[in-house]
């Protein structure tokens, strides 16, 4: 048992005091884990768009002061009552959604949408007692999606922690906490392209490129990348994308362009933009008879998906996915193994690195649309 077990830990955390204002590194108190909770030491974290959305809080419920962050890798420091499958020293990836292993979703082979621990972006407290484990001089600082990884120590529900191979480098596999697993799983678990097939990927951000990586792993022979930003195309070549389409270069709808390129449509498509027009194109560009389209992007709250029902009657399938259909505790350890076996490449997603003290630089990079993932080193 470590000397900190059962004690409050004082450590550094990047606190978002107000919407859109730079994060401030503060000394915070982190309370011991309660029932079914685990306190972990974060070693590496990375920045994802979702952190930025909730930091800007435009159209979101503003919950401040808050500790953001949800893509990370860490080591268990201590466990609370009832936790039996993790112990101090275990290497873990926190995940913004969970797996209680007891609800109907967790018991279903087909779902990863746990009733108890499904993402809740409005909740800033722990489930057990509706209180925060973070404070500054006794004043609570709110949690974010149950992870709050922009802190040297954080407390997470055991159901939101994937126990992984201790030999896996946490500065690489931390990106599997969210976006990369989402895109990869959308292809491998949901679109399931056959070897030699054609796959269109809409949106070549980190999620879309992870979907392309999934298509590469599946042995797709044509991977067509679609993006409005031509700057993305050069980067995407490293991900096995074989052809590029910029909808801005054509007068006709992009689904028609793709149908012409592929003799009637692609076998699979994966939409990773969050824009409803791209969702419709991604569906309408799949081949009739067998084509499958998978929606990953999170749409505007008032968006409406419109298509002629004949497109479905003609034997096209439309699906959607949440976190690539992976169950965090049961499935993420095996995604880490794919990286360890050199089947999955992660290095190419990591384009920047900053010390924790310069975490705001990661936000600047994301604003400028530079790179894919910026790793934040907690010990620097
Ligand atoms: P990103 O902003 O880095 O990338 C999106 C890309 O889409 C950009 O390159 C942009 O130029 C392109 N784009 C935008 N509109 C387009 C259009 N109409 N046609 C073609 N390209 C277009 O975003 P990201 O981090 O890769 O995330 C992608 C989406 O996935 C977001 O909507 C995000 O919220 C969502 N997401 C979903 C889940 C899930 O579980 N379903 C999890 C994580 C992220
Ligand atoms: Zn559950």
């Amino acid at each position: 048992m470590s000397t900190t077990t059962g004690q409050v830990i004082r450590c550094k955390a990047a606190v978002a005091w107000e919407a859109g204002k730079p994060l401030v590194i503060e000394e915070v108190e982190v309370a011991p884990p309660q029932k079914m909770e685990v306190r972990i030491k974060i070693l590496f974290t990375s920045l994802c768009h979702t952190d930025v959305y909730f930091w800007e809080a435009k159209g979101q419920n503003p919950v401040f002061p808050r500790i953001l962050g949800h893509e990370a890798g860490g080591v268990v420091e201590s466990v609370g009552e009832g936790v039996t499958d993790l112990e101090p020293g275990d290497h873990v990836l926190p995940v913004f959604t969970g797996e209680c292993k007891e609800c109907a979703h967790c018991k279903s082979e087909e779902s990863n949408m746990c009733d108890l621990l499904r993402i809740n972006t409005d909740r800033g407290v722990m489930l057990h007692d509706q209180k925060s484990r973070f404070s500054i001089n006794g004043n609570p600082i709110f949690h974010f999606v149950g992870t709050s990884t922009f802190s040297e120590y954080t407390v997470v529900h055991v159901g939101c922690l994937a126990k992984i191979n201790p030999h896996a480098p946490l500065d690489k596999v931390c990106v599997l906490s969210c976006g990369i697993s989402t895109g990869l799983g959308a292809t491998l678990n949901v679109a399931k392209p056959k070897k030699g097939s054609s796959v269109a990927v809409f949106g070549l951000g980190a999620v879309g490129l992870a979907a392309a990586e999934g298509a590469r792993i599946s042995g797709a022979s044509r991977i067509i990348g679609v993006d409005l930003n031509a700057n993305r195309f050069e980067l995407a070549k490293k991900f096995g994308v074989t052809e590029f389409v910029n909808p801005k270069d054509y007068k006709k709808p992009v689904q028609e362009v793709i149908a012409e390129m592929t003799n009637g449509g692609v076998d699979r498509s994966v939409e990773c933009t969050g824009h409803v027009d791209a969702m419709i194109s991604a569906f309408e560009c799949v081949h009739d008879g067998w084509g499958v389209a998978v929606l990953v992007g999170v749409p505007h709250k008032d968006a409406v998906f419109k298509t002629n029902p004949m497109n479905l009657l003609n034997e096209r399938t439309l699906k959607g996915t949440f976190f690539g259909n992976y169950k965090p505790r049961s499935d993420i350890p095996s995604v880490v193994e794919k990286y360890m076996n050199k089947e999955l490449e992660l290095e190419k997603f990591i384009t920047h690195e900053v010390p924790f003290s310069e975490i705001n630089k990661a936000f600047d990079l994301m604003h400028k649309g530079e790179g894919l993932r910026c790793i934040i080193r907690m010990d620097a």
Side-chain angles (χ1 to χ4, degrees), residues 14-26 55 359-360 363-364:
V15 178
W17 288 101
E18 276 180 71
K21 295 274 164 65
L23 306 187
V24 184
I25 305 280
E26 306 275 6
W55 168 68
I359 187 168
N360 288 303
F363 282 70
D364 295 342

Side-chain angles (χ1 to χ4, degrees), residues 296-316:
V296 180
V298 178
H300 186 273
K301 65 176 176 18
D302 303 321
V304 176
F305 185 100
K306 239 175 112 179
T307 192
N308 188 311
M310 274 316 287
N311 291 326
L312 285 147
L313 268 55
N314 287 340
E315 303 182 0
R316 292 182 185 88

Side-chain angles (χ1 to χ4, degrees), residues 21 25 33 71 73 94 102 112 128 143 196 202 210 216 270 297 319 323 359:
K21 295 274 164 65
I25 305 280
E71 277 193 10
E102 279 162 24
N112 66 345
H128 172 63
H143 293 251
F202 284 70
R216 185 191 67 80
V270 187
K319 294 184 172 192
F323 192 48
I359 187 168

Side-chain angles (χ1 to χ4, degrees), residues 99-103 106 114-116:
E99 182 184 353
C100 75
K101 296 197 174 179
E102 279 162 24
C103 73
C106 287
C114 175
D115 272 332
L116 183 70

Side-chain angles (χ1 to χ4, degrees), residues 354-375:
V354 296
F356 188 39
S357 56
E358 293 174 21
I359 187 168
N360 288 303
K361 276 195 185 160
F363 282 70
D364 295 342
L365 286 166
M366 190 155 274
H367 261 142
K368 287 190 218 142
E370 276 179 31
L372 294 170
R373 277 296 180 265
C374 178
I375 303 290

Side-chain angles (χ1 to χ4, degrees), residues 274-311:
H275 289 268
V276 72
D277 297 341
M279 295 180 185
I280 295 166
S281 303
F283 172 58
E284 294 182 355
C285 80
V286 299
H287 207 288
D288 56 1
W290 60 78
V292 179
V294 179
L295 307 187
V296 180
V298 178
H300 186 273
K301 65 176 176 18
D302 303 321
V304 176
F305 185 100
K306 239 175 112 179
T307 192
N308 188 311
M310 274 316 287
N311 291 326

Side-chain angles (χ1 to χ4, degrees), residues 220-253:
S221 59
R222 294 181 74 182
I223 306 175
I224 303 172
V226 184
D227 204 299
L228 297 170
N229 177 358
N231 294 335
R232 292 273 168 192
F233 297 159
E234 197 48 47
L235 184 69
K237 285 184 187 157
K238 280 196 213 160
F239 294 80
V241 180
T242 54
E243 290 148 88
F244 298 95
V245 177
N246 188 337
K248 285 190 197 157
D249 294 343
Y250 300 88
K251 288 212 172 70
K252 55 186 152 192

